Amino acid sequence: MQEIHSALVTTHLTPENQEKLRKALEPAEVVFCKPDDKEIIAEVIQKADVAILNSDVDELILTGPNLRWIHCSRAGVDKSAKPEIFERGIILTSSSGRSAPALAEHALMFMLGLTYDIPLLMKAKAEHRWAATREYFYKTGMYGKTIGILGLGKTGCEVARLAKSFDMKVLGWRRSTEVPENVDVVYSSDRQDSLQPLLEASDYIVLCAELNDHTWHTLGEKEFEYMKPSAFVINMGRGELIDEPVMIEALQNGKIAGAGLDTFEVEPLPKENPLWELENVLITPHITPRLPDREERALDYVLHNIEAYRNGSGFVNRLTQKGIYTKGKVMS
């Protein structure tokens, strides 16, 4: 059994949940501090074998010579997925899935908003104008259409579940060949399946994949050529999953009908970015309304993984070498 001797915790927790975590880590020495308490972190990390972080893994954390396991209490860990983690044999886990139901709702909000042309309706409302145009009259709803979900983790599967309530055909793209509940067809990167059939068939393309060196710019020039002119692209993953200039050109020239974007290659989105001016684009500032039990959901992953660490197996959300992300460094 692998013992935990010293743990650094920077994640935000209520006093009750702090105590729950402290007990789970016993008999380890546990130091709680804020993510910006650099002096305390610099001192504690020198002896910690476990770090439970509110933020990404930075260079200060990696100065810890005894680190064996790092847990990031967030969903995406692309900024933490450094080659050094694997070179040193450090286990890296996350709380991916803590907000999956809310993220799926967010994706459906984009889908409905674009389908019912909320930008047009809000503009008409501001102008006190009845928007009963011929163009609007011939719009069709989501019922019975096809959705292609790129990434069938917890969020992707939640999107699939909600899509089925609209009697949609659900196509999925993922690493493995396993077909989850509520998904009709899976295209697998492990099987070297092409994305082309999914993109050609989909009325909505929803990105929920993790960002790594394999998924960077999953949607590029070739992929946008495959899409229907009536298709909507929804990004709930990371901005770098899409070649943004290529997407902007596709939106401007009618290659696709619109986009709902919560993430971008540069955040906050610069004022001069053309996406601000496009009427067929919905933008949210990489923020999703919280679930009422989000902290408890995130903590459940930590508590499960404490036992997995001690037992040497059974981790949830453990990053593998396929999750390494270095392209962002190359671009910057």
Side-chain angles (χ1 to χ4, degrees):
M1 176 175 284
Q2 181 78 23
E3 290 298 330
I4 300 174
H5 303 287
S6 175
L8 167 70
V9 181
T10 68
T11 190
H12 298 302
L13 294 169
T14 63
E16 180 183 356
N17 284 331
Q18 276 195 8
E19 187 58 28
K20 186 183 294 187
L21 180 56
R22 188 190 300 277
K23 286 184 178 180
L25 289 165
E26 288 179 348
E29 176 188 3
V30 184
V31 176
F32 292 90
C33 70
K34 295 180 180 178
D36 58 356
D37 285 341
K38 300 300 183 184
E39 289 186 13
I40 296 176
I41 293 172
E43 177 184 349
V44 176
I45 202 64
Q46 296 308 308
K47 58 181 177 179
D49 46 338
V50 168
I52 300 167
L53 307 177
N54 186 68
S55 56
D56 298 300
V57 178
D58 59 19
E59 296 307 316
L60 178 56
I61 294 297
L62 289 176
T63 63
N66 303 313
L67 280 173
R68 297 293 177 267
W69 168 39
I70 300 173
H71 182 91
C72 294
S73 298
R74 51 175 50 206
V77 291
D78 45 279
K79 293 180 181 177
S80 301
K82 310 170 191 289
E84 183 180 347
I85 296 284
F86 297 94
E87 291 165 5
R88 291 177 53 180
I90 298 172
I91 296 164
L92 177 64
T93 58
S94 74
S95 291
S96 176
R98 65 177 183 175
S99 298
L103 289 167
E105 289 177 9
H106 196 143
L108 264 289
M109 180 275 293
F110 276 142
M111 292 168 64
L112 285 164
L114 290 163
T115 300
Y116 286 85
D117 206 341
I118 294 301
L120 170 67
L121 296 176
M122 293 303 294
K123 182 179 179 182
K125 179 175 179 289
E127 297 171 352
H128 296 201
R129 176 171 54 84
W130 194 248
T133 64
R134 184 177 182 84
E135 180 185 7
Y136 197 83
F137 181 79
Y138 285 104
K139 287 185 181 295
T140 56
M142 287 169 50
Y143 179 87
K145 289 184 178 178
T146 297
I147 180 174
I149 304 171
L150 278 56
L152 289 173
K154 297 176 182 66
T155 298
C157 286
E158 277 291 313
V159 173
R161 183 180 67 83
L162 294 181
K164 277 301 178 186
S165 67
F166 292 84
D167 282 345
M168 300 183 78
K169 182 177 182 180
V170 180
L171 310 179
W173 182 77
R174 69 184 319 183
R175 217 178 264 161
S176 76
T177 58
E178 181 185 354
V179 182
E181 187 178 4
N182 298 310
V183 178
D184 298 298
V185 180
V186 161
Y187 298 90
S188 163
S189 59
D190 279 352
R191 197 167 51 203
Q192 298 185 328
D193 292 337
S194 170
L195 257 181
Q196 183 174 352
L198 179 149
L199 297 175
E200 289 178 338
S202 295
D203 300 293
Y204 305 87
I205 295 139
V206 181
L207 289 93
C208 302
E210 69 177 26
L211 175 63
N212 56 52
D213 285 351
H214 301 284
T215 61
W216 180 79
H217 284 191
T218 292
L219 298 186
E221 188 171 354
K222 177 178 65 176
E223 286 74 25
F224 279 99
E225 292 292 338
Y226 293 146
M227 297 178 196
K228 300 177 180 181
S230 58
F232 296 114
V233 171
I234 312 295
N235 193 358
M236 298 304 302
R238 288 290 185 265
E240 295 90 339
L241 293 170
I242 301 176
D243 186 330
E244 197 168 280
V246 170
M247 176 181 64
I248 290 170
E249 190 272 336
L251 288 162
Q252 290 172 329
N253 296 331
K255 292 181 180 178
I256 59 173
L261 307 170
D262 185 52
T263 58
F264 307 87
E265 289 193 319
V266 177
E267 295 179 358
L269 186 65
K271 291 182 179 180
E272 64 275 11
N273 192 296
L275 288 169
W276 290 115
E277 304 299 326
L278 297 178
E279 294 184 357
N280 56 345
V281 175
L282 296 177
I283 291 173
T284 51
H286 204 159
I287 295 174
T288 292
R290 296 187 177 195
L291 296 173
D293 61 345
R294 189 180 77 159
E295 182 177 305
E296 286 71 24
R297 290 168 64 91
L299 182 59
D300 284 344
Y301 291 116
V302 179
L303 298 178
H304 176 96
N305 283 338
I306 288 172
E307 292 307 307
Y309 178 81
R310 287 175 169 147
N311 296 329
S313 64
F315 287 96
V316 173
N317 293 336
R318 180 175 181 175
L319 193 76
T320 68
Q321 285 193 308
K322 289 184 177 180
I324 289 176
Y325 181 56
T326 60
K327 290 185 181 290
K329 293 181 180 179
V330 172
M331 290 174 66
S332 60

